[in-house]
Amino acid sequence: MILLVLIGQKTNAQDTYQRNTSADVQGYVFGLTLNDETNSIKGEAEIKVAFKNEVNPFALDLIAKGDNYGMQVTHVFEGDTEANYSYEQNKINITPSSSEEKTRIYKVVYEGIPERGLVIDTTKFGQRSFFGDNWPNLARHWLPSVDHPSDKATIEFRITAPDHYDVVATGEKIEESNLGNDLKLTTYKEPAP
């Protein structure tokens, strides 16, 4: 009887994530702009994709804009040209060009207010803060990505924020530059997938 119960529980915990069968994301570069005036963020994500056998359509996760929260995609580029894409049901569906190149770079330009994943709040000391809480599948609320552990990739964060913020991210800090206008750029890079 106990064995039947355990078998029944195991079959209920199936992974239903729709995986990209031919596309393998190799790396992400997330350029994010944060501000003190609103909770809206602006993002540019560069995604390096390697195609395994054939160059087929693939999808990235990103929660669409609703009444108050979510992201709005403004452009998707394949290299320097506008990509053939659609944005529906919280997926950016990209149909690659007919080029035979097996590795390509895509850029997604987007903005919005994340409902989850990036927590924008005040600390117990009353200071405004931004905190990434992506586990287990909350990155899709603010980062266009394959938000599933089956497709691991390198990551780089390039954060433009008011200069009074201390920025910490995954990986090694490789840059902190004053941009003027009370803004600074901080870059972290993690080479391990």
Side-chain angles (χ1 to χ4, degrees), residues 70-133:
M71 297 294 131
Q72 179 178 355
V73 174
T74 56
H75 296 286
V76 177
F77 297 96
E78 180 178 347
D80 293 330
T81 60
E82 192 82 28
N84 180 7
Y85 78 97
S86 64
Y87 183 39
E88 53 199 6
Q89 297 180 350
N90 298 322
K91 296 271 189 190
I92 304 168
N93 301 294
I94 300 172
T95 301
S97 66
S98 61
S99 167
E100 293 300 316
E101 291 179 45
K102 293 290 187 180
T103 301
R104 303 177 188 201
I105 303 290
Y106 294 88
K107 180 164 50 169
V108 178
V109 181
Y110 65 102
E111 61 184 51
I113 301 173
E115 182 174 16
R116 300 181 72 194
L118 182 64
V119 180
I120 304 170
D121 207 346
T122 54
T123 67
K124 68 180 183 178
F125 303 107
Q127 297 173 328
R128 183 171 167 84
S129 70
F130 299 82
F131 179 80
D133 181 18

Side-chain angles (χ1 to χ4, degrees), residues 131-151:
F131 179 80
D133 181 18
N134 299 325
W135 193 89
N137 60 354
L138 300 179
R140 66 187 69 193
H141 286 270
W142 65 294
L143 299 172
S145 59
V146 176
D147 194 11
H148 191 271
S150 65
D151 194 354

